Amino acid sequence: MPATVIVGAQWGDEGKGKIVDLLARDSDLVCRYQGGPNAGHTIVVGEETYKIRQVPSGIIRGKPSAIGAGCVVDPAVLIGEIDELEARGLETEGLVHVSGNAHLIMPWHVALDGARERRLGRLQIGTTRRGIGPAYADKATRIGVRVQDLADPKILREKIELAVAEKNVWLERVYDLEPFDADEVLDTLLDHAARIRPWIADTSLLVDRALHDGRRVLFEGGQGTLLDLDHGTYPFVTSSSPIAAGAAVSFGIGPARIDDVLGVAKSYVTRVGEGPFPSEIEGEAQARVRELGQEFGTVTGRERRCGWLDLVALRFAVRVNGITSLALTKLDVLSAFSELPVCVRYRLPDGTETEEFPAHQSDFHHCKPVFETLPGWNGELAGDGLPAVAREYVEFVERALGVPVALVGTGASRERVLTL
Ligand code: IMP
């Protein structure tokens, strides 16, 4: 399909990087549509493992890649990643495009993200502390600094002076932190500007032309559906729109131009940070899933909380994204278990049961999972097909959601993806 969105169907970390990497092979342009260096993608190519946060995964395939207006960009992280990829022998010249309308993560955003989390104490959100929330907040308040400002030192100075004057009051008086010096910040950014300027592009026009010419465009989201600012488990969410429609908003194309939405879901569920998590695994099995799945944050190294597959939450993801097919990743992790609980309904505080994700946060916070237990396949997932029992697990998911599972991940490397 010419325009495909790849969207995380859970709380992020579904293994989107690997699926994007696979589909990027047949794409002409890969576009990242929201978030910033809070998203961590791990891509294994032969002996090499790439952990990238800011650049779109397509770059590893040598594909033209774009960062949309809906993203926030930490200039030092972006430049650092491009340099590292180049140092490891990947060619990136002419492949990186960054929307001039994307916002920059400034040093005070990082300082404020950490300070706010500390201040919240046990009510903290568990952010990645990369300055994501404060950068999006400034975008909405309209005192943000944008990528295109890097091309105009005079405007850049004005914007930095305006922001520093306000941020320093917060930093010093509210959080008891060191203030920033506008000149120092400007000097650092002007250094970064020299590198980033050639990458600045009209990414709406880029995508429009590509689609018009019949080229294949892949949109990759960071995080996942349940971390969406509007539709996720607020306030334990990120500050942007990971859902599929976010791709159209970020790249400035009409929503009808998106042909296909591929939802990526793990065969179980993980969550980092705080917030309710109905299918969270009780007892030792949680640590076992974490070890087998290597569920530690790419960006923060934090332990991820692990749960059994939650079909109520996945049904919600199918709805809000308009998912047309699913990729079920890391099925091999479940090989170690002889019984596989799957959450099929939630029991609400009033005793009723539902297959639909609760619209009210209190219902979600207090619901209990209703599990159906499926048999495990007692063996490794090797070779080109799935054992019958594993196939039944996949078909159970398809029937419950009314969406085909197109891809199944059976191991970490690039080759271990089965097409069904
Ligand atoms: P922020 O995006 O750093 O503001 O963090 C807000 C919430 O989103 C926290 O619960 C984070 O743990 C979560 N989050 C952000 N990025 C990711 C990701 O790539 N994977 C999983 N969770 C994430």
Side-chain angles (χ1 to χ4, degrees):
M1 282 295 195
T4 301
V5 178
I6 295 191
V7 64
Q10 295 159 330
W11 273 286
D13 310 317
E14 298 91 350
K16 293 181 292 294
K18 189 175 157 188
I19 303 296
V20 174
D21 175 54
L22 184 80
L23 269 67
R25 195 172 40 190
D26 299 320
S27 301
D28 303 302
L29 177 63
V30 180
C31 300
R32 168 90 186 270
Y33 61 85
Q34 47 67 236
N38 49 345
H41 284 160
T42 307
I43 299 168
V44 182
V45 183
E47 298 294 301
E48 299 280 323
T49 299
Y50 297 94
K51 286 185 189 281
I52 51 174
R53 297 189 275 149
Q54 185 79 73
V55 293
S57 326
I59 215 90
I60 311 263
R61 281 276 183 197
K63 298 289 177 170
S65 296
I67 294 177
C71 295
V72 285
V73 177
D74 187 321
V77 175
L78 178 61
I79 293 167
E81 283 188 357
I82 296 289
D83 285 348
E84 197 198 321
L85 295 179
E86 292 269 347
R88 289 173 70 179
L90 291 182
E91 183 58 61
T92 66
E93 181 76 34
L95 299 180
V96 187
H97 307 284
V98 186
S99 167
N101 290 359
H103 278 246
L104 293 175
I105 298 176
M106 304 297 281
W108 45 86
H109 294 140
V110 180
L112 287 168
D113 199 356
R116 276 192 195 142
E117 285 284 274
R118 281 193 294 279
R119 173 67 56 95
L120 282 169
R122 73 181 177 81
L123 295 179
Q124 68 172 356
I125 290 162
T127 74
T128 58
R129 302 193 179 199
R130 295 298 189 274
I132 309 295
Y136 278 110
D138 278 359
K139 168 181 174 174
T141 319
R142 284 147 295 167
I143 58 159
V145 183
R146 297 196 293 175
V147 168
Q148 62 182 279
D149 299 328
L150 294 172
D152 188 330
K154 189 163 164 279
I155 291 183
L156 189 61
R157 171 178 285 282
E158 277 171 19
K159 291 202 169 184
I160 288 175
E161 284 173 352
L162 184 75
V164 161
E166 183 186 315
K167 297 302 164 186
N168 280 350
V169 176
W170 279 91
L171 287 164
E172 291 185 277
R173 302 221 192 130
V174 179
Y175 294 111
D176 209 13
L177 290 173
E178 291 296 312
F180 284 95
D181 179 76
D183 289 330
E184 274 177 29
V185 175
L186 182 66
D187 286 348
T188 311
L189 267 190
L190 286 175
D191 281 349
H192 292 150
R195 290 292 308 282
I196 291 180
R197 234 177 271 134
W199 302 336
I200 302 175
D202 181 342
T203 52
S204 166
L205 196 57
L206 191 73
V207 170
D208 180 66
R209 293 226 167 116
L211 291 175
H212 192 263
D213 295 345
R215 280 179 273 147
R216 285 155 303 183
V217 181
L218 196 61
F219 297 93
E220 62 168 313
Q223 292 83 45
T225 304
L226 295 163
L227 291 171
D228 186 271
L229 181 59
D230 293 294
H231 300 284
T233 50
Y234 191 89
F236 304 104
V237 293
T238 192
S239 306
S240 60
S241 303
I243 61 167
V249 175
S250 177
F251 278 90
I253 55 161
R257 299 188 75 186
I258 292 168
D259 301 286
D260 217 3
V261 179
L262 176 65
V264 184
K266 241 181 259 196
S267 306
Y268 47 100
V269 191
T270 60
R271 170 160 211 187
V272 275
E274 309 307 315
F277 186 8
S279 71
E280 189 161 15
I281 301 170
E282 289 178 358
E284 279 172 21
Q286 173 158 181
R288 198 141 167 244
V289 170
R290 183 178 305 119
E291 273 307 313
L292 289 166
Q294 281 301 294
E295 298 297 352
F296 303 93
T298 320
V299 177
T300 60
R302 286 184 290 179
E303 281 190 353
R304 296 179 183 144
R305 297 156 69 193
C306 301
W308 299 117
L309 188 64
D310 182 344
L311 291 179
V312 180
L314 256 190
R315 184 172 291 110
F316 175 72
V318 168
R319 166 159 49 100
V320 298
N321 292 298
I323 288 173
T324 50
S325 62
L326 275 171
L328 211 51
T329 60
K330 294 182 124 175
L331 192 65
D332 52 305
V333 171
L334 298 185
S335 301
F337 298 88
S338 55
E339 293 193 326
L340 299 171
V342 176
C343 175
V344 291
R345 291 184 297 282
Y346 292 163
R347 186 170 301 118
L348 300 175
D350 67 4
T352 58
E353 292 187 1
T354 179
E355 287 189 337
E356 298 298 342
F357 199 75
H360 197 283
Q361 60 180 6
S362 299
D363 284 335
F364 182 60
H365 280 241
H366 298 114
C367 71
K368 297 278 177 249
V370 178
F371 288 111
E372 205 167 310
T373 303
L374 305 187
W377 38 91
N378 300 314
E380 293 199 356
L381 298 179
D384 293 339
L386 287 179
V389 182
R391 181 167 276 279
E392 278 161 27
Y393 185 87
V394 173
E395 285 169 0
F396 184 87
V397 173
E398 289 181 319
R399 274 197 306 279
L401 302 176
V403 171
V405 173
L407 300 168
V408 175
T410 57
S413 73
R414 194 186 237 179
E415 300 75 37
R416 303 297 306 271
V417 179
L418 298 176
T419 308
L420 299 189

